[in-house]
Amino acid sequence: MKYFILFGPPGAGKGTQATSMVEKYNLRHISTGELLRKEIAAGSELGLKAKSLIDSGALVPDEIVEGMIESEFRTVKDVNGFLLDGFPRTTAQAEALDKMLAKTSEEVTAVVSIMIPDEMIKERIKHRASIEGRADDANDDTINNRIKTYHEKTEPLVEYYKGKGKYNEIDGTGTIEEVRTKIFGMMDKF
Ligand code: AP5
Ligand code: MG
């Protein structure tokens, strides 16, 4: 199995690009954010626990998302691999992922990182707020906290994966089609 990590700050275009990536390379898209929003919509115990954290722009505990990822790996078989969107997001999650894959002598194939500057994050999220109605897109404090959380907790993973020779960065500031072309050019190598 191939294990691609779709990396980038909030609003970089991970979800947008994931759709065509999974189709072209026959991958299973796993977005931890989407899985958590489904739990919230279903009113599950896990959803209740996650809601206040997500609405404040903080991360949910590592064990929760690690459990979600492992159960998807176990149940999905009929694909060439997985596209992890929004996971890992902390060094602890990256280490947990390495351990999970090591059990079957597998490893992360590559990190596809979509980068945009902080100002563009805000523009894109505000634009999406008017279309999708996501609770964590609705107010400035939450958006600012998501950006802060990204820089503090998630950005260190750039060095983590550079150190393993797995990091590939793409400029995410162009049009959706321009970014997609760059991603495909990069992924064709794996
Ligand atoms: P998550 O759902 O992962 O949100 P996020 O990381 O904040 O990322 P977004 O979904 O906001 O952005 P995106 O990159 O997918 O952008 P999109 O394609 O939609 O996580 C939500 C929360 O869940 C977290 O804050 C945390 O609390 C929790 N969580 C999730 N995973 C976790 C984990 N592993 N550990 C702990 N907690 C976790 O694009 C944005 C907008 O821009 C769209 O309107 C789109 O149409 C537009 N757009 C996209 N590309 C372009 C372009 N090239 N040009 C112009 N517009 C564009
Ligand atoms: Mg997304």
Side-chain angles (χ1 to χ4, degrees):
M1 286 281 192
K2 288 179 182 166
Y3 296 89
F4 289 100
I5 295 171
L6 187 51
F7 187 85
K14 301 184 293 296
T16 304
Q17 299 296 343
T19 316
S20 51
M21 292 165 80
V22 294
E23 209 172 283
K24 182 164 163 60
Y25 300 102
N26 186 27
L27 305 170
R28 167 69 167 228
H29 180 209
I30 310 179
S31 159
T32 40
E34 275 173 26
L35 291 173
L36 289 164
R37 284 188 287 280
K38 273 188 198 150
E39 294 285 339
I40 294 172
S44 71
E45 198 181 319
L46 196 161
L48 286 174
K49 206 167 161 187
K51 186 173 174 15
S52 59
L53 289 165
I54 293 179
D55 288 353
S56 74
L59 296 178
V60 306
D62 291 333
E63 313 78 70
I64 290 186
V65 285
E66 287 162 17
M68 289 176 149
I69 292 283
E70 197 156 23
S71 97
E72 294 274 324
F73 285 173
R74 272 199 306 267
T75 48
V76 179
K77 303 285 178 216
D78 54 344
V79 289
N80 292 338
F82 295 88
L83 182 64
L84 306 179
D85 164 356
F87 179 93
R89 245 176 159 99
T90 62
T91 305
Q93 290 177 21
E95 289 168 352
L97 175 63
D98 287 342
K99 277 193 197 134
M100 255 180 244
L101 299 181
K103 286 182 200 165
T104 45
S105 305
E106 292 178 291
E107 56 179 49
V108 168
T109 307
V111 177
V112 181
S113 173
I114 308 176
M115 277 300 153
I116 60 168
D118 287 1
E119 280 316 306
M120 193 174 270
I121 297 178
K122 291 185 197 173
E123 281 166 31
R124 291 214 183 147
I125 289 182
K126 286 194 171 150
H127 165 74
R128 187 177 58 191
S130 61
I131 301 167
E132 289 186 19
R134 249 173 74 171
D136 62 342
D137 285 351
N139 87 54
D140 284 340
D141 287 347
T142 303
I143 297 170
N144 287 331
N145 203 28
R146 282 163 65 194
I147 295 173
K148 186 165 167 274
T149 304
Y150 165 77
H151 287 300
E152 286 177 7
K153 306 248 171 80
T154 307
E155 206 168 26
L157 292 181
V158 171
E159 291 307 316
Y160 182 90
Y161 286 112
K162 273 186 184 170
K164 292 178 180 289
K166 309 251 183 215
Y167 186 78
N168 303 276
E169 189 169 300
I170 278 160
D171 175 4
T173 61
T175 64
I176 291 173
E177 292 71 25
E178 283 166 354
V179 176
R180 183 188 301 135
T181 304
K182 286 184 198 161
I183 292 177
F184 285 174
M186 201 273 283
M187 284 187 70
D188 282 344
K189 292 188 262 169
F190 295 98

